Amino acid sequence: MLTRGFVGSVLVLVGGLIVSTLPPSTWLMDQDLLLDLRGAEAGRMLGLAIVLIGLGILAAEWLSLCRHVALAEGEDRADALHLVRYAAVVWSAPLVLAPPLFSRDGWSYAAQGMLAHLGISPYEHGPGVLRGPVVEAVDPRWMDTITPYGPVPLIAGDFAAGLTGNPWVLVVGHRIVALAGLLLLAWAVPRLASWTGVNPALASAVVLASPLMLAHGVGGLHNDLLMVGLMAAALVVAAERGWVLGAVLGGLAAAVKLPGGLACVGVALVTLPLAAPLLPRVRRLAGVAVVSVGTLLGLGAVTGLGSGWIAGLAVPGTVTTPLSVMAMLGIRNVGTLVAGAVVLAVALRWRTGDRSQALQGVAMVVGVTVVLGPVVHLWYLLWVVPFLATMRLPRVAMAGLLAGSTVFGLVAPMDSSLHEAYLAIVLGSLLIALLVPLLLLTRRSRARIERIVSAEWIPVQLPQPRHPAGAA
């Protein structure tokens, strides 16, 4: 299982070298075989097929891992969480050195970090003011746009750019930062699962080692992975160490991408006494807001980056993504207003002092924000999976989570880089149409999923304090 998954990941890496955008100055572009494959339509389609086969193998082994840990007993049960974490490391390892896969955002991160290092504000200038290898692979769409990200990724990019100007090395550095989010999830998810009595190993498998995570979180190296890791950690730290530390982590999550601040709703809910009246609730929400916003703005002030990210928030809205229902209907602002109303309602009316309810509240506000968002990319689904996976879901919902994590991982290669590459689109669609039924719809695959979602987990019941640490 682990070895086959590793092979799948290697195939994704190999195929990714053929189909991904690379800087022309990189040494790989001097290799005749790679140039021939990248330059021919047949070669590019071969690369796409290799990637999809690799993702299919990863998906199959991930589902096997989920079944194993769901049904584990005795010593296997005790080792299940360790196995999941080990699998996540082994399957991620070949992708660490890969170029940005299925998206060119990683190349933009490298250029934005270089801007910060040179003392040029990424909140005032786009990568287009730079010259040389660091901008060779940046998507032309974003060359003249400012960054919408908070100071955390820019601080990391500034540090990396002080060590090297090689764009590929810079990209690897950003991926390592993203993987810090995976480590935070590996720590936080079992703790969140203990709040609801969910199998911690199965929840961790769904979050850490899925095709969705490997394709978009690790391969795509999106900042969203670090953001959601900080969000999950904020909720756990708030419950175990108090609301102030939880709010600091919530502020750090917002300092990666602003939606990370949604975790602060859960920070307030989980640290209030049971059935808290409105006035104490408002006071706690205000305190959490002051600490988290202070953390966000303080980072900008201390580093000299400022708060220019506020102006950059409009940048993602310059594109229309088919996954955004609100954008497709032409009512982006309506979706934003409804999502804001839901967040406010949860903050003011959701049950307090109950860890499982706080978890559900965060899942609600994050899920609504994604569904009604003016811009939705596939990797935005990473925001909500850690909170859904640690809830006690109905069997149908759990099966849907497994199927969604499989499908949305498999379709990762069908990104904008295939625009107008009609033969590649047709080939990719055909392969996905073959892989999805094999993984999810055959009698054997349906039985595997049924065994996962129907497995019972009887946890050790731990006493929960009436007043979480720091609630007073």
Side-chain angles (χ1 to χ4, degrees):
M1 178 168 58
L2 293 178
T3 301
R4 290 190 295 270
F6 179 81
V7 171
S9 192
V10 170
L11 290 175
V12 174
L13 167 61
V14 172
L17 294 177
I18 300 174
V19 299
S20 297
T21 300
L22 302 178
S25 61
T26 185
W27 66 274
L28 276 176
M29 298 299 280
D30 293 330
Q31 310 306 307
D32 291 339
L33 176 59
L34 183 61
L35 281 176
D36 290 342
L37 289 172
R38 291 172 60 88
E41 180 116 36
R44 293 193 297 273
M45 288 194 292
L46 174 63
L48 178 61
I50 292 172
V51 168
L52 285 169
I53 291 170
L55 287 172
I57 293 172
L58 277 169
E61 300 313 312
W62 169 68
L63 289 170
S64 295
L65 175 67
C66 290
R67 179 184 60 187
H68 176 82
V69 300
L71 302 175
E73 296 180 354
E75 292 184 1
D76 286 343
R77 194 182 203 197
D79 293 337
L81 182 57
H82 173 74
L83 175 63
V84 168
R85 289 169 170 169
Y86 186 61
V89 170
V90 171
W91 296 349
S92 298
L95 302 177
V96 171
L97 298 178
L101 300 176
F102 321 131
S103 166
R104 296 168 68 170
D105 284 3
W107 299 118
S108 292
Y109 299 166
Q112 290 157 3
M114 183 61 72
L115 284 172
H117 179 68
L118 295 174
I120 304 171
S121 174
Y123 298 135
E124 298 176 5
H125 302 278
V129 301
L130 298 174
R131 295 293 181 268
V134 75
V135 293
E136 288 177 347
V138 174
D139 192 326
R141 176 187 298 171
W142 307 124
M143 285 289 279
D144 298 315
T145 56
I146 60 177
T147 179
Y149 305 117
V152 168
L154 295 179
I155 293 169
D158 183 352
F159 175 79
L163 302 176
T164 179
N166 185 305
W168 201 314
V169 177
L170 292 174
V171 161
V172 172
H174 278 278
R175 182 175 277 117
I176 292 172
V177 172
L179 288 175
L182 196 65
L183 290 176
L184 288 170
L185 288 171
W187 173 80
V189 165
R191 287 167 169 78
L192 295 175
S194 71
W195 296 2
T196 57
V198 169
N199 182 337
L202 179 57
S204 296
V206 172
V207 174
L208 303 178
S210 72
L212 178 69
M213 175 60 73
L214 294 169
H216 297 290
V218 181
L221 64 91
H222 294 287
N223 286 329
D224 306 72
L225 177 52
L226 178 60
M227 180 194 78
V228 76
L230 286 166
M231 292 174 73
L235 199 54
V236 173
V237 168
E240 297 182 357
R241 302 294 180 184
W243 68 267
V244 175
L245 288 178
V248 169
L249 287 175
L252 287 175
V256 178
K257 293 184 71 170
L258 191 60
L262 293 170
C264 292
V265 174
V267 168
L269 293 175
V270 79
T271 56
L272 280 163
L274 190 65
L278 181 61
L279 185 56
R281 183 192 294 253
V282 171
R283 287 173 177 168
R284 176 56 48 81
L285 286 166
V288 170
V290 168
V291 172
S292 59
V293 172
T295 301
L296 170 58
L297 297 181
L299 273 176
V302 169
T303 60
L305 290 167
S307 56
W309 51 267
I310 296 175
L313 294 177
V315 170
T318 59
V319 298
T320 299
T321 57
L323 291 178
S324 173
V325 177
M326 297 298 105
M328 298 304 291
L329 294 176
I331 51 173
R332 293 180 194 242
N333 292 337
V334 173
T336 301
L337 288 174
V338 172
V342 171
V343 172
L344 185 62
V346 170
L348 295 178
R349 300 184 61 84
W350 207 264
R351 183 177 179 181
T352 61
D354 185 312
R355 292 182 177 184
S356 64
Q357 286 292 312
L359 178 62
Q360 291 180 30
V362 173
M364 171 67 77
V365 298
V366 174
V368 167
T369 300
V370 172
V371 172
L372 300 182
V375 180
V376 181
H377 295 287
L378 283 171
W379 51 89
Y380 286 16
L381 300 175
L382 294 171
W383 302 4
V384 72
V385 170
F387 307 109
L388 290 179
T390 49
M391 291 168 51
R392 190 172 286 277
L393 298 175
R395 289 167 60 179
V396 172
M398 184 62 182
L401 183 57
L402 294 172
S405 296
T406 300
V407 173
F408 291 127
L410 287 176
V411 300
M414 308 297 288
D415 69 313
S416 58
S417 65
L418 295 181
H419 181 61
E420 295 184 355
Y422 299 115
L423 289 179
I425 292 171
V426 170
L427 173 65
S429 300
L430 289 173
L431 284 172
I432 292 169
L434 174 64
L435 289 169
V436 169
L438 285 176
L439 292 166
L440 300 174
L441 301 179
T442 65
R443 180 179 299 178
R444 181 178 178 182
S445 61
R446 292 200 311 271
R448 175 169 55 187
I449 291 176
E450 176 62 25
R451 296 186 75 183
I452 295 171
V453 302
S454 62
E456 294 188 8
W457 172 260
I458 304 176
V460 176
Q461 296 295 331
L462 298 176
Q464 184 178 136
R466 288 179 57 86
H467 303 288

